[in-house]
């Protein structure tokens, strides 16, 4: 299935999480916001409240094609602390699914052992935590089924890469033209 799960925790960076959801839904890609907290009500790092579509325990790994982690603090710490998330990400990756993380969230992938020898990027201050990765400074880095990005300012590029993966370059370009992105 071409379903994308976007995992949200209290303190997530709103632009990083919601830009992905918005652009993927504009591209008509089935995108589900998942709460890793105690309720569907999630408060972002800038006190913007959103309501997740489902709770973590409702995620069915076989339904997903991509699993996305937005950054932000303390959202990234909450993602790292979640008992089942790392297990789910490892299983999804082992089953050939895409795993994507932006800003501080690639540190979650590092903690799960998913960046070993992979090209990856993150928010610059997180570079020292990606000890097993081949660190890059591009806006978006794709290495096999791992997608990473730098931060809030690269959120559109991050989401656009996902659209390109699912629907191709023409669909990505059409989407970016429709939102008047770039020149």
């Amino acid at each position: 299935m071409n379903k994308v799960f976007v995992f949200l925790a209290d303190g997530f960076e709103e632009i990083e999480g919601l830009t992905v959801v918005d652009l993927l839904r504009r591209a008509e890609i089935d995108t589900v916001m998942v709460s890793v907290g105690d309720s569907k009500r999630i408060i972002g790092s800038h006190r913007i409240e959103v309501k997740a579509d489902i709770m973590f325990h409702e995620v069915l790994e076989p339904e997903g094609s991509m699993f996305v982690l937005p950054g932000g603090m303390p959202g990234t710490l909450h993602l790292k602390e979640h008992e089942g998330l790392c297990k789910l990400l490892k299983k999804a990756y082992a089953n050939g699914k895409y795993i994507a993380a932006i800003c501080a969230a690639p540190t979650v992938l590092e903690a799960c052992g998913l960046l070993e020898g992979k090209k990856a990027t993150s928010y610059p201050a997180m570079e020292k935590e990606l000890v097993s990765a081949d660190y890059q400074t591009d806006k978006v880095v794709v290495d096999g089924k791992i997608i990473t990005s730098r931060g809030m300012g690269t959120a559109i590029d991050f989401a656009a890469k996902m659209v390109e993966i699912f629907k191709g370059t023409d669909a990505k370009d059409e989407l970016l033209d429709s939102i008047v992105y770039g020149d």
Side-chain angles (χ1 to χ4, degrees):
M1 284 196 127
N2 281 342
K3 187 178 286 188
V4 177
F5 291 109
V6 180
F7 296 89
L8 304 177
D10 283 334
F12 79 100
E13 172 53 57
E14 295 93 341
I15 288 177
E16 295 165 3
L18 299 179
T19 296
V20 169
V21 173
D22 181 286
L23 293 182
L24 293 180
R25 287 182 178 177
R26 285 175 194 254
E28 299 181 352
I29 296 168
D30 190 5
T31 305
V32 179
M33 295 186 296
V34 180
S35 171
V36 300
D38 295 330
S39 78
K40 288 184 180 179
R41 181 178 169 257
I42 307 291
I43 306 294
S45 61
H46 299 94
R47 298 173 303 285
I48 299 171
E49 182 177 328
V50 297
K51 183 180 177 193
D53 301 308
I54 65 173
M55 298 297 294
F56 181 82
H57 71 272
E58 297 174 89
V59 173
L60 300 175
E61 183 271 330
E63 291 183 356
S65 294
M66 186 177 288
F67 300 76
V68 182
L69 306 178
M73 286 296 176
T76 297
L77 299 176
H78 295 313
L79 293 174
K80 275 186 190 177
E81 294 164 355
H82 190 276
E83 289 185 23
L85 183 60
C86 188
K87 181 178 176 182
L88 175 68
L89 294 174
K90 286 178 169 182
K91 182 178 181 184
Y93 186 71
N95 287 331
K97 311 296 178 73
Y98 281 94
I99 308 295
I102 185 170
C103 194
T107 64
V108 177
L109 305 185
E110 177 69 32
C112 293
L114 295 172
L115 295 183
E116 181 80 32
K118 296 283 185 188
K119 291 180 181 172
T121 194
S122 68
Y123 187 73
M126 299 292 125
E127 177 180 354
K128 64 188 177 304
E129 293 189 40
L130 302 187
V131 295
S132 73
D134 175 4
Y135 196 82
Q136 308 289 306
T137 58
D138 299 335
K139 289 181 182 180
V140 179
V141 175
V142 179
D143 189 340
K145 299 277 184 153
I146 301 286
I147 306 163
T148 53
S149 190
R150 309 260 305 159
M152 179 181 76
T154 64
I156 290 175
D157 298 290
F158 182 58
K161 179 53 76 176
M162 294 176 201
V163 171
E164 182 178 31
I165 286 168
F166 281 108
K167 296 222 167 174
T169 302
D170 290 345
K172 175 201 74 168
D173 292 344
E174 187 175 308
L175 174 68
L176 292 178
D177 286 346
S178 77
I179 64 168
V180 193
Y181 180 76
D183 304 20

